Every structure is written in C-alpha cells, then in structure tokens.
Amino acid sequence: MRFLTLLIALVLASAIGSHAGNIYVSALKGDDNAPGTVARPLKSVGEALKRAREWRRLKAKEAAGDIRIILEGGVYRQATPLFLRPEDSGTPESATVICAPKGETAVISGGVEVKGWTKGCDDPRVAGHLRDKIWVAEAPLSASRIVETRQLYVNGRKAQRASQFAPGVMERMVDFNAAGRTITVPAPSVDLSAARQLEMFVHQRWAIAILRVKDMVTDGNGNTVVSFHDPESRLEFDHPWPQPVIGGERGNSSFFFANALELLDTPGEWYQDYPSGRIYYYPVESDGDMNGAEVTIPLLETIVAVEGSRERNVGNIRFENVGFEHAAWLRPSVEGHVTLQGGFRLLDAYKLHIPGLPEKAELENQAWIARPEAAITVRHAGNIDFKDCTFRHLGATGLDYVTAVSDSEVTGCLFEDIGGTALQMGAFPDGGFETHVPYVPSVAGDICRNISVKSNIIRDATNEDWGCVGIGAGYVRDVTIADNEVSHLNYSGICVGWGWTPLESGMSNNRITGNHVHHFAAQLYDAGGIYTLSNQPGSVIAGNRIDNLIDAPYATNNRAFYIYFDEATDGYTVDGNHCPDAEFGYNRPGPKLVVGDNGPHISLDLNLPEKR
C-alpha cells in the first residue's frame, strides 16, 4: 500500500513538473505584484512574459518544460505593443506558450473604451431633424493626447464612417485630369464646402486611393472639380498604374466621399471631429442607451511585435486559443493612401519617358512602396506558431510574418473583420528597393520559408483597403497554404509572388492545395481567387475549390478570374482544381507553367495589355 501511494505521488509529481512553469493571468482579478499562481494571478500579459524571461535567464526549474502563460477569460488591454524578444525564446523541449483554457475567451486588445455619451447634438452641420438622434462623446485620452481613430466598434460590430452612400455604393466620376491634378464628379447632394476632414475614396482598377480633399469648386454644369492635399495628390496623378479609367468598357471609374459630419445621416454611422476629437454616432435601434453599450476605438496599430534580428532570432513561441482585437489604421488620415497593389502604398512612382531597366527592358514605370501596418508582426524568428486563435476587428493587416521567419504554423485560426490583408508573409521589398527589380537577399535566411497556413477561416477581410487580399505571400519559398476557407473579399483570395519578373529570385516550392475560395472580387478587378506572380520553380496549385466570383459593380472591364496567372508566372503545376464556369487569366506566363485538368472551361489570353 505504501509502495502504491509512493508510485501515485511520483506520477503526480511528474505531471505537475511537466507544467511547473505555469504562470496564471487574470484581467479582472489579477495583480502584477502577485506570484502568478492560480489563487493569486498576475494582471498583465507583459508581466507574465517578464517572469518567464527571468526563469529562462536564471535557468530556474520552472523552465525545464514548457512555460505556459495561462490567460483567464477577459480583455487584456495594451497601452503599448506586447514586445517579445530573443530573451523570450523557448527551445524545442521548452516552448513559451501563451494560451487560454478551452471554453474561455481571452482577448489581447489594442483598444480603449469610449464612455460618457450624451444624446442630442446642436451642431449646425447635422440636419435639424437628426440632431436629437445623434449621440456625442469626448474621445478618450492616451496619456495627455486625444485618441484619433478611423475605426469604431459598438457592441462588437464595426460602425460605418459617415459616408455619401450606403456601404459598397459608389458613383461614376466625370473626368480624371492628371495634368491639372483634379477629379471632376457629379455635384454632391449635400453641401460639403465646409467639411474640414473630407476624404475621397477612389476605385482604380485593382486598387483604391484615399485622398484628403483640399478644395471643391462647382463648374456650373452640375459637376464639382476636386483637388487634394499632398503627398497623395502628387502620387495619385504621377503614378501610371493603377490610375482611374475614363471611358472604360463598363464606364468610368467610381468614387465616394466620406468623413464629414454633414454626411452623418444613417443609423450605424459615426464621425470623429478634428481637432476636438469629439465622436458623433447615430445608433441602430438595437444599441439602446449608448451609456449601456460597449464602445471601443483602437489605440495601437500593432498589438504584438515579435522582434528578433539577424544576429539573434526569436524562437519557439506559441499562441493557443487567444484572441487579438482592436488594432488601428490611421495613416490615411495623416497622408492619404495611394497604393500600387495588395495594399502596399506608394512612396514614389512615375512613368518612364524612355522605358527599360537592366532587369526588365520593357518596363515603362517605376514604383517604390511601403508595407502596410499590421496588428501582429514577426521578424527574424522561427517556430512562431498560432493555433486556434482569433483575429478580429483589425484596421490593416492581421498577422504579418515580415522577414526572415521560418518553420512556423498558423492552424485552425479565425480571421474576420480585417481592414486589410488577413495573413501576410514574406518580402515585398520596400523603402528604396524599386518594386520591379527581382529581390535576391544577400543573406539567404532573410527570405521567409517553411511556413504552413492550414485549416483557417478567413472572411470579411479587405473591408477598409479593398485592394488587399485574404492570404498574401511575397518572396517566399517552401510555403504551404492548405485547406483554408477564404471568402467575402473585395479583391483576390490567395496571392503568392511579387516582382513581375521571369528571373529566378528565390521564390520556389510553394504549395496552394485544398483551399476553398469563394465570394471574392466584390469591388475590384484584375483579380483571382488564386493569384500568382513571377517565377516560382517547383510550385503547385492543386485540389482547390474556387467559386462565386462576384461581378464587381463598379469595375470598368470584366477582367477577373478564378485563377489568374499574372505577369511572368512560371514554375507552377496546376491540376485538379474545381472552378465551375471558370476562366483562367494569363499574362505572359513562362514556359514551365503546366496547367492540367481543372475547371470545365479555360480561356487563354497571352497578351493582356496592362502592366504595373
């Protein structure tokens, strides 16, 4: 009997020892001066990471197995990004795991609450019959500064910024004058001459532009001529690809105005005034009394940053069953937003008077880009995994494996209500690197590699920057994108490749298999359910189901495809993909693109005219 008791004790000790590194955290009842036990948890995730970091530094017994930071259900608000560094690294035998128990919802949030609402508004910019319906609150402060925002969430629902039309509705422009740097549109039905923060949202082929309005002049013919602030004015009218279209097959390019109190006229809309920061909201019926509502605006653009370096990587960190919510996207309010493709904004771009670069003799334009902001960023790291996590209410990119990330997995996660691209990985060379020059890193490890994206659900992404995608990969190799459901997007679904080049650049052995892509290209064209660029030897597109390609109502032509092999796509074997009534698009593919038995109809066009 004594032997049996001893044996049971040893087994229990072994089980406890395998998780002896547990650190417990509670947003509701925690205290950062507590020991971090079940009975006395910590309050913040940052303090828990510090405790784990110290255990590893001191080689404490708690670091013998996995160190598990266990988050009780609740919202963990971050005033600054959660920063994970090389010292937070685990090992294959002892990972750092940030998790929540099954059945509990733990959210790491970059948002702050908006409180103190008052019903009624006497601002003359609001129509008189609506003034008693509008609720008003002062913006919260972060330290001593007013929090500015482009996103507002009411009771878990994203509210619509005050806009000229209903969501997704636009109007055709009259003229686009590159020389005069103006756009002519039908005169708005509402007087916007005094709107100080007015923005114009422009549909331009496969991308959008957000332009801050400088001046509006009526031309006497029922039209208004609009000019814009710099830097976006210069970028919008200097860059050739993509500009709006006048006289397209299906009409002119489209636009709408947004972000003016004068446009606040529909339940569910809101507006933030500048410089007061005051927030105006027109509730929907279900909101009830706004002082009983949960209203959140994002403070942080980046909620979590995993930051290594070439010399010292971060490794062996895993997030399990954790939510990430409320990341901001503020840049268009500061400098507008003019993009090349995929949400990558232009730093400079112009048409070449004499075409050609050494790397591409026929190139007739140059462009330099910057990467979109992201809620979770990972750099110089390996084995950084996300399992059964939720990414929701994020203003720009959701999760971004930026550079030199390897051997990592994103599995069983949900991405929804994402303003830009849900999941992004790999180099899209930015800054001073001209975007059409093939990227061959001087340090081979800088390319993202061996990343697996499996069994995730992505829906309602690209809802702020329509030109972003569901899953986007640039210069990557040995990447697997498999068994995901990707849907309800304004542009393309799964995109792999960058550079518009037939030259070899390190992209290779990428696999896109078993995915279901549907309800895509809702607003833009030149799109693909699966979209590829450039030479990627040894790569595969197989066994995917792609359906419900939407007929974008404001497209100026009909170029959207179930699979689109854009410029210089090569090295792919494409077989066994189900695309009902599908047409594939081809733009100067390479000789090693092998297309086998796929959807019931395939059309081949080797001379699509548009280039970037």
Side-chain angles (χ1 to χ4, degrees), residues 400-414:
D400 194 352
Y401 288 125
V402 180
T403 187
V405 182
S406 65
D407 306 301
S408 298
E409 296 183 0
V410 183
T411 306
C413 295
L414 170 65

Side-chain angles (χ1 to χ4, degrees), residues 176-182 237:
F176 181 85
N177 185 340
R181 296 191 172 181
T182 61
F237 295 102

Side-chain angles (χ1 to χ4, degrees), residues 386 391 399 401 408-413 415 423 452-454 456:
F386 296 82
F391 301 79
L399 170 60
Y401 288 125
S408 298
E409 296 183 0
V410 183
T411 306
C413 295
F415 296 77
L423 193 160
S452 175
V453 179
K454 289 187 176 182
N456 304 286

Side-chain angles (χ1 to χ4, degrees), residues 130 143 192 213 281 377 395 453 459 526 532 545 553 556:
L130 296 176
L192 298 173
V213 172
Y281 177 62
T377 60
V453 179
R459 61 191 180 212
D526 214 44
T532 59
R545 177 184 169 193
T556 56

Side-chain angles (χ1 to χ4, degrees), residues 562-582:
Y562 283 76
I563 300 179
Y564 184 13
F565 307 109
D566 203 354
E567 189 170 335
T569 291
D570 203 0
Y572 270 96
T573 298
V574 184
D575 198 26
N577 300 286
H578 179 64
C579 313
D581 301 319

Side-chain angles (χ1 to χ4, degrees), residues 173-178 182-184 202 204 236-237 243-244 246:
M173 61 180 62
V174 175
D175 187 43
F176 181 85
N177 185 340
T182 61
I183 297 176
T184 301
V202 178
Q204 39 198 41
E236 174 68 3
F237 295 102
Q243 279 188 339
I246 300 297

Side-chain angles (χ1 to χ4, degrees), residues 98-301:
I98 302 170
C99 60
K102 287 186 178 181
E104 296 196 27
T105 303
V107 173
I108 301 175
S109 170
V112 293
E113 294 182 283
V114 181
K115 296 182 178 296
W117 291 91
T118 301
K119 188 176 183 181
C121 167
D122 59 2
D123 194 303
R125 292 174 290 175
V126 176
H129 69 286
L130 296 176
R131 291 177 191 171
D132 63 346
K133 300 179 184 295
I134 305 300
W135 289 72
V136 184
E138 301 298 327
L141 297 178
S142 175
S144 59
R145 297 183 63 86
I146 292 170
V147 178
E148 295 179 42
T149 184
R150 297 177 67 87
Q151 299 84 31
L152 181 136
Y153 305 95
V154 181
N155 295 326
R157 183 193 72 254
K158 187 175 188 176
Q160 173 78 15
R161 293 175 86 214
S163 178
Q164 185 180 10
F165 307 118
V169 175
M170 308 186 84
E171 187 173 21
R172 302 278 180 183
M173 61 180 62
V174 175
D175 187 43
F176 181 85
N177 185 340
R181 296 191 172 181
T182 61
I183 297 176
T184 301
V185 301
S189 60
V190 176
D191 181 6
L192 298 173
S193 59
R196 300 189 298 266
Q197 306 300 314
L198 187 67
E199 296 175 356
M200 187 173 182
F201 191 110
V202 178
H203 183 299
Q204 39 198 41
R205 311 177 192 232
W206 56 84
I208 58 113
I210 302 172
L211 310 174
R212 298 171 300 162
V213 172
K214 180 180 179 180
D215 195 21
M216 304 176 73
V217 177
T218 301
D219 69 358
N221 297 313
N223 297 321
T224 297
V225 181
V226 190
S227 60
F228 310 96
H229 292 287
D230 280 324
E232 64 265 39
S233 179
R234 174 183 59 81
L235 292 168
E236 174 68 3
F237 295 102
D238 282 357
H239 86 292
W241 300 105
Q243 279 188 339
V245 174
I246 300 297
E249 298 169 26
R250 296 172 58 179
N252 295 345
S253 288
S254 301
F255 75 96
F256 66 85
F257 292 112
N259 199 43
L261 190 54
E262 291 88 338
L263 297 173
L264 184 60
D265 59 4
T266 304
E269 286 189 327
W270 70 282
Y271 168 77
Q272 184 178 32
D273 197 45
Y274 181 87
S276 72
R278 192 167 294 117
I279 296 172
Y280 299 79
Y281 177 62
Y282 189 166
V284 298
E285 186 174 351
S286 61
D287 288 330
D289 188 318
M290 287 302 298
N291 286 304
E294 181 183 303
V295 184
T296 302
I297 61 174
L299 169 65
L300 303 179
E301 286 188 322

